[in-house]
């Protein structure tokens, strides 16, 4: 009964908040978990190039997925854009995304950064990597994610909360590589080394390093980039872990064509354009991320962070093992 009431509530919200989008043929509707200032320049560029209007709704990933489920076949959405492969996997697993067979997308998006069944495709790439104090740490001391649990980092490690999908995906990929038993030992060792309780976001985590609360942390690269942009003399630096083994953990913002879309061909063309050289810098640069298209270079600030070897395991694992990762982190005391 409770679940029925919840579903009814979601459906009522959908009906009362859905903008009055028209069903024009030369128009696409996008549901986006990326914020407006990151996506509107892209949409405007596509409209200028093709004449196709883009109308959009922005919200967090969870509410957007619930909205698509509630709307079902009546949705006006044509494309879903969201952050993290875990969220993309969930959308596909819920049957919300259409399988797309596109040679353009297969060429532009590396295999590890797209769904094996063609339901979602990464469009920009970020690393969840190690950040450290340049005042107190010699980067030669750093090696791997796993090594952050060693004795030398006791009382020096800072982490973001386990509630965030970015850390859930990182741990899920560690499970895929090491298995649950070994990964649980790794996570327990991190918890034992924490200098403070986990922070609510990556920015606060880095600010805590600057304040001397800890010396090393794990963050998404674009959060570092934002802080660096505000302070050119930032006493922090990035380190690429696991370069002699699996590579640094990479993740994506990406998109998929909505299964119930009435404009799937047009939505596919737009998705292909988003992966093109023309659009990739616009998509990635807005948030200081890396283009997924191998033919497109990162902007100067991002490129200055240095080259790295990324983990090449398919990111679908981040979604497949997310539930196991959440349970594991809870058992390990990582909150």
């Amino acid at each position: 009964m409770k679940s029925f009431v919840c579903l009814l509530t979601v459906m009522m919200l959908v009906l009362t908040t859905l903008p009055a989008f028209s069903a024009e043929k030369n128009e696409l509707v996008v549901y986006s978990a990326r914020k407006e200032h990151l996506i509107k320049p892209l949409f405007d560029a596509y409209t200028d190039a093709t004449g196709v209007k883009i109308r959009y709704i922005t919200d967090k990933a969870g509410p957007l997925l619930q909205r698509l489920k509630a709307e079902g076949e009546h949705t006006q959405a044509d494309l879903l854009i969201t952050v993290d492969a875990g969220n993309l996997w969930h959308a596909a697993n819920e049957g919300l995304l259409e399988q797309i067979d596109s040679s353009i997308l297969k060429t532009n998006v590396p295999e590890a950064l797209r769904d094996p069944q063609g339901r979602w495709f990464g469009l920009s790439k970020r690393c969840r990597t190690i950040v450290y104090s340049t005042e107190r740490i010699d980067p030669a001391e750093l090696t791997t994610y796993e090594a952050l649990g060693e004795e030398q980092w006791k009382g020096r490690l800072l982490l973001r909360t386990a509630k965030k999908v970015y850390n859930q995906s990182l741990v899920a990929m560690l499970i895929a590589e090491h298995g649950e038993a070994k990964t649980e030992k790794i996570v327990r060792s991190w918890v034992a080394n924490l200098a403070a309780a986990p922070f609510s976001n990556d920015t606060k985590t880095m600010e805590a390093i600057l304040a001397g609360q800890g010396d090393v942390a794990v963050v998404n690269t674009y959060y570092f980039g934002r802080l660096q942009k505000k302070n050119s003399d930032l006493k922090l630096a990035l380190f690429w872990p696991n370069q002699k083994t699996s590579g640094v953990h990479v993740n994506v913002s990406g998109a998929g064509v909505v299964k119930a879309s009435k404009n799937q061909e047009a939505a596919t063309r737009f998705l292909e354009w988003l992966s093109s050289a023309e659009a990739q810098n616009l998509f990635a640069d807005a948030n200081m991320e890396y283009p997924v298209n191998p033919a497109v270079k990162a902007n100067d600030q991002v490129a200055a962070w240095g080259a790295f070897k990324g983990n090449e395991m398919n990111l679908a694992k981040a979604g497949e093992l997310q539930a196991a990762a959440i349970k594991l982190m809870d058992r390990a005391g990582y909150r």
Side-chain angles (χ1 to χ4, degrees):
M1 181 66 182
K2 186 181 290 185
S3 60
F4 174 76
V5 172
C6 289
L7 179 60
L8 187 61
T9 302
V10 171
M11 292 181 72
M12 289 177 67
L13 284 171
V14 167
L15 291 172
T16 56
T17 62
L18 185 66
F21 291 147
S22 64
E24 293 179 21
K25 189 174 182 180
N26 209 34
E27 178 179 280
L28 289 170
V29 176
V30 177
Y31 285 8
S32 174
R34 276 173 79 93
K35 295 180 180 179
E36 182 176 24
H37 71 278
L38 299 177
I39 56 172
K40 192 173 185 304
L42 272 166
F43 297 167
D44 290 345
Y46 190 69
T47 299
D48 290 343
T50 66
V52 176
K53 296 177 183 177
I54 308 292
R55 300 195 184 275
Y56 56 90
I57 293 171
T58 60
D59 204 339
K60 292 184 178 180
L64 286 177
L65 296 191
Q66 289 301 316
R67 183 172 191 151
L68 280 171
K69 287 169 67 176
E71 291 172 345
E73 293 297 318
H74 301 291
T75 188
Q76 293 177 323
D78 299 304
L79 196 77
L80 172 70
I81 296 176
T82 190
V83 297
D84 197 278
N87 289 326
L88 289 161
W89 181 88
H90 278 294
N93 197 49
E94 292 284 352
L96 300 174
L97 303 180
E98 183 62 59
Q99 186 172 348
I100 302 298
D101 184 12
S102 164
S103 59
I104 293 173
L105 288 166
K106 288 177 181 177
T107 298
N108 291 347
V109 183
E111 187 174 1
L113 306 181
R114 51 182 161 89
D115 176 45
Q117 297 181 49
R119 296 167 298 178
W120 55 263
F121 300 83
L123 294 172
S124 64
K125 182 171 68 174
R126 71 284 297 272
C127 301
R128 189 149 191 82
T129 193
I130 294 174
V131 64
Y132 64 94
S133 166
T134 57
E135 296 180 309
R136 299 185 297 277
I137 298 292
D138 178 350
E141 299 176 74
L142 297 163
T143 54
T144 66
Y145 297 108
E146 296 86 342
L148 292 176
E150 293 177 355
E151 184 66 25
Q152 66 171 315
W153 302 112
K154 195 167 188 67
R156 303 171 74 188
L157 175 64
L158 298 172
L159 293 174
R160 185 177 185 167
T161 175
K163 296 176 183 178
K164 190 63 182 178
V165 68
Y166 305 141
N167 282 331
Q168 294 165 7
S169 291
L170 171 61
V171 172
M173 296 301 274
L174 288 173
I175 292 173
E177 182 180 354
H178 297 301
E180 284 198 41
K182 184 175 179 179
T183 301
E184 186 168 339
K185 288 181 181 179
I186 293 166
V187 176
R188 285 184 182 277
S189 70
W190 291 349
V191 173
N193 281 354
L194 287 176
F199 293 86
S200 60
N201 61 57
D202 284 1
T203 302
K204 289 181 179 179
T205 306
M206 288 185 286
E207 288 172 346
I209 295 178
L210 294 172
Q213 287 183 258
D215 296 333
V216 64
V218 177
V219 300
N220 279 358
T221 43
Y222 59 87
Y223 285 108
F224 172 82
R226 292 175 188 174
L227 212 56
Q228 187 183 53
K229 200 168 186 178
K230 292 179 181 178
N231 180 6
S232 59
D233 192 35
L234 191 66
K235 303 299 184 183
L236 298 173
L238 297 176
F239 177 83
W240 308 122
N242 298 67
Q243 294 302 280
K244 293 182 180 180
T245 55
S246 55
V248 64
H249 171 62
V250 296
N251 211 316
V252 294
S253 286
V257 174
V258 174
K259 195 163 191 173
S261 166
K262 313 305 185 294
N263 302 298
Q264 287 189 356
E265 285 189 21
T268 300
R269 287 195 296 272
F270 181 41
L271 183 54
E272 290 172 340
W273 181 83
L274 288 171
S275 75
S276 71
E278 182 180 358
Q280 276 284 283
N281 280 127
L282 274 175
F283 197 98
D285 291 359
N287 199 35
M288 282 176 281
E289 294 176 282
Y290 297 88
V292 296
N293 189 325
V296 182
K297 294 180 180 179
N299 73 24
D300 290 343
Q301 181 185 351
V302 173
W305 300 337
F308 60 85
K309 171 188 172 183
N311 191 318
E312 295 185 354
M313 189 181 300
N314 191 283
L315 277 174
K317 289 291 183 184
E320 292 170 11
L321 295 170
Q322 189 180 85
I326 292 170
K327 292 176 183 177
L328 184 152
M329 289 188 285
D330 186 60
R331 290 196 305 271
Y334 180 16
R335 306 290 192 272

